[in-house]
Amino acid sequence: MIYMNLIKLCISITLGLAILTSCTKQQRGESAVIYDYLETDGFNHADSIINDISDLRDYEWMLRANDSLYALGELSKPKYLFYRTITLNLLNQQSTSLKLYYQLDTLDLSELKTQTDIESYVYTYNNYIRMLCDMRRYDRALREAEKADQRLRSVGYTTFTEHHDIAQIIGESQLYMGQAAEAAESFQRSLQGIHKRMVNHHNPLDLRECQKTMNMIAKAYIRKFMYEEAEPWINIQDSIYNLADKSEERDTVYLDEMQAEINYSKALLYQAQGKPQEAERAYQAYQRTNTAKQLASIVNNNQYLMRTGRFAEAARNFERLDEFLYGNAYKCDLENLGRYMIPKYRANLLAGRIDSAIYVADKVADYYNQALVEQKMNDADLLSMVYDTEGKERQIAEQRAELSHQRSIGIAVGSLLIIIFLVVHALFRRKAFRKLNATNRELVIANEKAEESSRMKAKFIKQISHEVRTPLNVLSGFTQVLTTPDMELSSEELQSINKKIVENSERITKLVDKMLDLSEVNNYSVIECRDTVTPVEIAREAVEKSGIKEAAHLIFELKVTPWTETETFVTNRKKAIKILSLLLDNALKFTQPVTPKPKDHLERVTLKVDQKDKHVMFVVEDTGIGVPPKEAENIFTEFVQLDEYYEGTGIGLSVARSLARHMGGEVVLDTSYTGGARFVMTLPLKNHSTD
C-alpha cells in the first residue's frame, strides 16, 4: 500500500504540474466565469524552478527551494502547501506532511486568486484524502472529502467530487465501510469523470491515469470478495488499452504498465471464480511484460502465487524484499510488517523453507516493538490533527503576537495624531478599539476549543485509570488481608476472597486484551477466513466465553434454526467468536440493574442465529437501557460511552465492528427495536467451492 501510495503521489505531482502548465482561459470553461478575478493561469517562474528540481528528483533541494520561494512571496499559500506535502510524501515523511494538511481547513479561499491556486488546493486535498484511505481511516476520508466539496462550492467550484480519482477514493472508503450501494454510485461518478476527461484529453498520460483508476476500483471489489462487481471494471480497461495502443502518441512504457495491471487483476479474478486455466493464461501474459520484471512488481505481486499454492515461487520472489525496502527507504513499521514480512514468512513456511521462515519470524519479533511505538506516534499525529490542540495553541500564540504588534502600532500612531490632530486621534482610537475587541473575541473562541480538546484527552486518561485502579485496589486490599499475621479466616471467607481476586484479575486482563485488540485491529487489511465451522458452534463458544449464562440478573436464551446446526461456512473462527462475545459482554453489562430485582422481574438476553441474503446472521437482543437512535453510529466510535455509570472503556463495540468489516461482514444497531438494544452481526456465507 505504501509503495502504491508513493507511485500515485509521483503521478499526482506530474499530472498536477501538467495541468498547471496547460491551463488557459479557453480551457477554463465554467471556471473562467466563476473566477472572474483570474487574469492569468498563475503559472510563473517560481513554479518552473520547482518543476525543474522535481525532474532531478532532488527532493531535499525541492523542499528548501519551496520554502525560500514562499518566504520571498513568489509562491502562493495553496501552491506552497501542494509542493511541500507532495515532496514530504515522496521522502517517506508522511507523518510530517499529515500535520500540514490542517492548514487546508484554515486557508482563506480568497487566497485562491489564479487557476493554479485552485488546482493546487484541489490536488493537495486529493492526496490528503488518499492518505487517509490508505491508513484505513475511511470515515475520516469521507468527512474530509465532504468538507472540501462544501468549501469549494462556496466559491463556485462544483466538480471536486466528480473528478474520477477523488470519486474513486470516496467509493473505496464507502465500500470498506460496508456502504456498497453508495460506493457503486461513487464509482459511476468516477466513470463519468473518466469519460469527461477523455473527451478533450486522450494523450498517453490521460489514458494511463483513467485505466489506473478503473483498476483500483476492480481490485477494491476483489478484496471485498465481490467478484461479479469487479469483472466489468477489469474488462472495460481493455478498451482503454486498445485506444492507447492505436494512439499517434503511442507510449510503450505506459502500454506495458497497463497490460501488466489488467492481466494481473484478471488472474486474481479468474482464480477466485474457479477458472484456473483462464487465470494461468492471464498470469503468464502478466509475466511477459517488462513491468512484471521490475523489483516492485516481483515483491508486491505474490498474492496470485500464494492463492494457487506456488509457495516456492513466492518465496524466491521475496528473497529480494530487503533490496526493495532498502531501495525505497521503507521502515519496518506495522504496515510493512503486515504487508511484506508476514507474507514472506508464510511463503517460506509453506514452501518448506523452515530455516528461512524462522529467520523472518525473528526479524518480525525484533521489529515489532519499535514498529508498535511508531504506529502509536502516527496515530497520535492523526488525533492531534483531528482535535488540533497544538494547532490551536499556535494559532492563539500567533494572534496574541499580532495583537501585541497592532497595539504597538496603535499607540505610536495615536501619539503622533494627538500631537497633530486631536480629533483624528480620537476617531482612530475608536476604530482601533473595535478591531482589537473583535480579535479578542476570536482569541476567546479559539482558546475554548483548545480547552475542550484538552478535556477530551483528560477524560479518556481518567477513564482508563479508573478501569485499572478499581480492580487493583480490590486486589491490594485482599492481599493485605491474606498476609496479615494471625489472621484467621473461615473457608467461606477464603472462598469469597478467592472469587473476588479471580474476578478482578480477569477484569484487568480483559481491559488489556481490549486495548491490544484496538491496537491490532487497525493493522489488518483483510482478515483471512479459512476455518470451516457451523454457525451454532460459533454461537455456543461465544456464549461460553462471555459467561452470560451464569449471570444472576438475567435470563439468557439461545435460539437457532435447524440449518445453523448442520450447514457449515468458511470464516475466521477465532475472530468471529471474539466479535460475538463482545456483543454478549455489552448486553451483559447494560442489563445489570442498579439495585437487585426479584426473580419474576429479571432482564432477558436472547441470541438468535439464522441465515439471510447469503449471510450468516447473529442477533443479540436485550431488555436493558437501550440506545437513543441518534447515537446509533456514535456508539461504534472509539472511547465513547453514553452512560458513565457503567464500567468500561467504550472500545468493545468499535473493535467488534472493525473485526467484522475486515472479514467482509458488519455489525449494526437495529434502531427499530425499542425494548432495549438489538445488535445484528452478519458474516458472508462462503464455502470452499466459492472461496
Side-chain angles (χ1 to χ4, degrees):
M1 181 179 295
I2 297 174
Y3 168 72
M4 291 302 298
N5 188 28
L6 289 175
I7 293 297
K8 292 167 195 167
L9 290 170
C10 293
I11 294 296
S12 294
I13 190 171
T14 305
L15 182 58
L17 291 171
I19 291 175
L20 293 175
T21 56
S22 64
C23 287
T24 64
K25 291 182 180 179
Q26 291 75 17
Q27 290 173 319
R28 290 186 199 125
E30 182 181 354
S31 297
V33 177
I34 296 169
Y35 300 96
D36 53 1
Y37 49 82
L38 301 177
E39 297 179 357
T40 66
D41 63 6
F43 190 84
N44 56 29
H45 183 62
D47 296 291
S48 299
I49 294 174
I50 298 294
N51 195 8
D52 291 341
I53 297 175
S54 72
D55 290 338
L56 299 174
R57 290 178 169 78
D58 190 337
Y59 301 125
E60 295 288 353
W61 183 17
M62 190 169 169
L63 279 178
R64 293 193 298 271
N66 186 46
D67 292 343
S68 299
L69 291 169
Y70 178 62
L72 293 171
E74 296 296 324
L75 283 176
S76 64
K77 183 70 170 290
K79 288 195 284 188
Y80 164 76
L81 289 174
F82 172 68
Y83 290 134
R84 186 162 183 80
T85 52
I86 287 292
T87 310
L88 287 170
N89 287 329
L90 289 168
L91 287 168
N92 283 315
Q93 298 180 23
Q94 285 80 9
S95 59
T96 303
S97 70
L98 197 64
K99 297 177 181 178
L100 282 175
Y101 286 117
Y102 165 72
Q103 298 184 40
L104 293 171
D105 288 340
T106 59
L107 183 67
D108 185 354
L109 295 190
S110 64
E111 295 187 41
L112 304 179
K113 299 183 182 301
T114 67
Q115 186 70 16
T116 54
D117 288 340
I118 299 166
E119 296 293 346
S120 296
Y121 183 83
V122 168
Y123 272 88
T124 307
Y125 240 118
N126 183 0
N127 292 329
Y128 174 35
I129 298 168
R130 167 59 65 188
M131 180 180 291
L132 290 173
C133 183
D134 287 347
M135 294 170 68
R136 293 187 288 280
R137 269 54 171 195
Y138 304 121
D139 54 343
R140 183 72 184 171
L142 292 176
R143 288 199 298 271
E144 291 300 328
E146 181 180 1
K147 182 194 301 181
D149 187 44
Q150 290 176 350
R151 296 199 76 204
L152 285 165
R153 286 180 183 275
S154 69
V155 294
Y157 189 96
T158 60
T159 60
F160 179 73
T161 57
E162 295 175 8
H163 187 283
H164 66 84
D165 193 29
I166 297 171
Q168 178 268 316
I169 299 171
I170 293 174
E172 187 174 336
S173 299
Q174 291 169 328
L175 188 64
Y176 288 131
M177 290 182 66
Q179 303 170 12
E182 293 85 347
E185 293 178 2
S186 297
F187 290 152
Q188 285 302 315
R189 282 201 305 274
S190 178
L191 183 59
Q192 292 170 7
I194 289 173
H195 289 157
K196 290 180 181 179
R197 178 172 180 174
M198 292 178 62
V199 170
N200 297 317
H201 303 283
H202 36 71
N203 60 46
L205 176 60
D206 290 301
L207 295 172
R208 173 72 176 110
E209 285 293 298
C210 293
Q211 174 270 323
K212 179 179 291 185
T213 298
M214 286 189 287
N215 194 65
M216 292 176 68
I217 295 173
K219 291 175 73 174
Y221 274 130
I222 291 175
R223 284 193 292 268
K224 293 293 290 182
F225 311 110
M226 302 173 69
Y227 305 126
E228 292 183 3
E229 290 81 354
E231 191 166 5
W233 293 98
I234 293 179
N235 294 336
I236 198 173
Q237 294 176 62
D238 290 330
S239 60
I240 293 185
Y241 175 83
N242 292 332
L243 286 175
D245 190 32
K246 296 175 182 178
S247 172
E248 295 180 357
E249 304 175 68
R250 190 175 186 274
D251 189 302
T252 56
V253 174
Y254 286 155
L255 284 170
D256 187 82
E257 292 174 351
M258 293 166 71
Q259 191 176 44
E261 285 187 358
I262 294 170
N263 281 295
Y264 188 73
S265 297
K266 285 182 178 179
L268 291 176
L269 177 63
Y270 292 149
Q271 191 276 333
Q273 292 177 330
K275 302 176 181 178
Q277 294 180 348
E278 292 88 336
E280 186 59 26
R281 281 197 295 269
Y283 183 72
Q284 291 304 320
Y286 158 76
Q287 286 284 73
R288 289 192 291 271
T289 64
N290 292 325
T291 301
K293 299 175 178 62
Q294 301 298 317
L295 179 57
S297 299
I298 292 172
V299 172
N300 279 281
N301 291 340
N302 286 302
Q303 186 179 8
Y304 176 80
L305 294 175
M306 295 294 289
R307 284 188 176 186
T308 54
R310 292 151 69 172
F311 306 120
E313 291 181 55
R316 285 196 298 272
N317 288 344
F318 277 124
E319 289 175 357
R320 302 188 63 185
L321 176 59
D322 290 342
E323 178 187 351
F324 170 74
L325 295 176
Y326 178 79
N328 288 280
Y330 286 169
K331 299 177 180 178
C332 276
D333 53 19
L334 291 180
E335 181 74 17
N336 285 329
L337 286 178
R339 178 159 291 273
Y340 296 115
M341 300 299 290
I342 301 300
K344 180 177 180 179
Y345 163 77
R346 290 185 65 248
N348 280 284
L349 182 65
L350 295 173
R353 299 183 173 188
I354 305 303
D355 291 341
S356 297
I358 294 174
Y359 173 76
V360 176
D362 286 340
K363 292 185 68 175
V364 171
D366 290 340
Y367 289 140
Y368 178 75
N369 286 334
Q370 179 184 351
L372 188 61
V373 171
E374 291 184 359
Q375 180 68 27
K376 290 181 178 179
M377 292 175 63
N378 287 337
D379 288 343
D381 287 338
L382 185 59
L383 286 173
S384 176
M385 184 191 64
V386 173
Y387 297 111
D388 196 45
T389 302
E390 297 177 355
K392 292 299 182 185
E393 291 173 351
R394 288 195 299 271
Q395 183 182 6
I396 292 171
E398 291 170 359
Q399 289 179 338
R400 285 176 176 168
E402 179 65 19
L403 177 60
S404 176
H405 181 62
Q406 290 178 3
R407 283 175 174 166
S408 299
I409 294 176
I411 292 172
V413 174
S415 300
L416 180 61
L417 291 177
I418 288 173
I419 298 172
I420 302 174
F421 297 106
L422 184 60
V423 175
V424 175
H425 162 71
L427 294 174
F428 179 85
R429 289 280 294 174
R430 186 187 309 171
K431 181 178 179 181
F433 177 78
R434 287 198 299 268
K435 184 175 181 180
L436 293 177
N437 190 41
T439 305
N440 273 321
R441 285 197 298 271
E442 293 178 0
L443 285 171
V444 170
I445 294 172
N447 189 55
E448 289 176 350
K449 291 181 179 179
E451 289 176 353
E452 174 63 21
S453 176
S454 179
R455 282 194 296 269
M456 290 179 67
K457 290 183 177 180
K459 180 180 178 182
F460 168 63
I461 294 173
K462 180 180 178 181
Q463 191 174 359
I464 293 299
S465 300
H466 171 74
E467 284 296 310
V468 175
R469 189 182 296 114
T470 300
L472 283 179
N473 287 339
V474 174
L475 295 175
S476 176
F478 283 131
T479 302
Q480 293 178 15
V481 170
L482 293 174
T483 56
T484 299
D486 301 325
M487 175 64 71
E488 294 184 1
L489 298 172
S490 65
S491 59
E492 290 80 8
E493 290 173 329
L494 287 173
Q495 186 176 2
S496 176
I497 290 174
N498 180 67
K499 181 180 179 182
K500 293 293 184 182
I501 290 175
V502 171
E503 288 177 351
N504 285 276
S505 298
E506 290 178 349
R507 182 174 171 183
I508 294 176
T509 301
K510 287 182 178 180
L511 174 61
V512 173
D513 287 343
K514 284 186 178 180
M515 295 301 293
L516 291 174
D517 287 338
L518 180 64
S519 174
E520 180 183 3
V521 76
N522 288 326
N523 298 324
Y524 290 120
S525 174
V526 175
I527 295 176
E528 290 189 355
C529 298
R530 298 179 178 274
D531 302 321
T532 301
V533 64
T534 64
V536 167
E537 289 176 315
I538 292 175
R540 288 173 178 161
E541 289 192 36
V543 169
E544 185 70 23
K545 183 176 181 180
S546 67
I548 195 168
K549 288 199 300 185
E550 287 75 31
H553 69 277
L554 59 81
I555 299 172
F556 174 76
E557 184 178 6
L558 175 61
K559 294 183 178 180
V560 299
T561 61
W563 175 90
T564 61
E565 294 185 297
T566 57
E567 295 297 324
T568 62
F569 73 113
V570 177
T571 188
N572 187 304
R573 182 187 189 122
K574 181 179 179 182
K575 301 300 182 187
I577 294 171
K578 165 72 77 173
I579 300 167
L580 190 53
S581 65
L582 287 172
L583 298 181
L584 292 171
D585 286 342
N586 187 72
L588 180 64
K589 179 169 65 175
F590 289 104
T591 53
Q592 182 73 45
V594 177
T595 58
K597 292 186 177 182
K599 290 186 177 180
D600 56 343
H601 289 84
L602 294 178
E603 304 288 351
R604 299 187 68 88
V605 175
T606 305
L607 171 57
K608 303 176 183 178
V609 187
D610 205 345
Q611 178 245 348
K612 182 180 179 181
D613 297 333
K614 297 183 179 180
H615 283 77
V616 181
M617 185 167 63
F618 302 85
V619 181
V620 178
E621 183 178 292
D622 65 59
T623 58
I625 63 174
V627 180
K630 65 179 181 180
E631 300 290 347
E633 286 301 313
N634 192 32
I635 58 173
F636 293 102
T637 303
E638 296 170 4
F639 314 123
V640 167
Q641 272 195 301
L642 302 184
D643 192 333
E644 296 183 358
Y645 167 78
Y646 290 90
E647 297 175 348
T649 57
I651 60 179
L653 291 177
S654 174
V655 171
R657 171 173 275 190
S658 296
L659 286 173
R661 286 179 172 177
H662 287 309
M663 294 165 62
E666 183 59 282
V667 173
V668 297
L669 173 71
D670 183 357
T671 56
S672 66
Y673 178 70
T674 58
R678 177 190 288 156
F679 288 88
V680 181
M681 163 191 167
T682 56
L683 293 176
L685 182 58
K686 298 184 295 181
N687 53 49
H688 284 298
S689 62
T690 59
D691 188 19

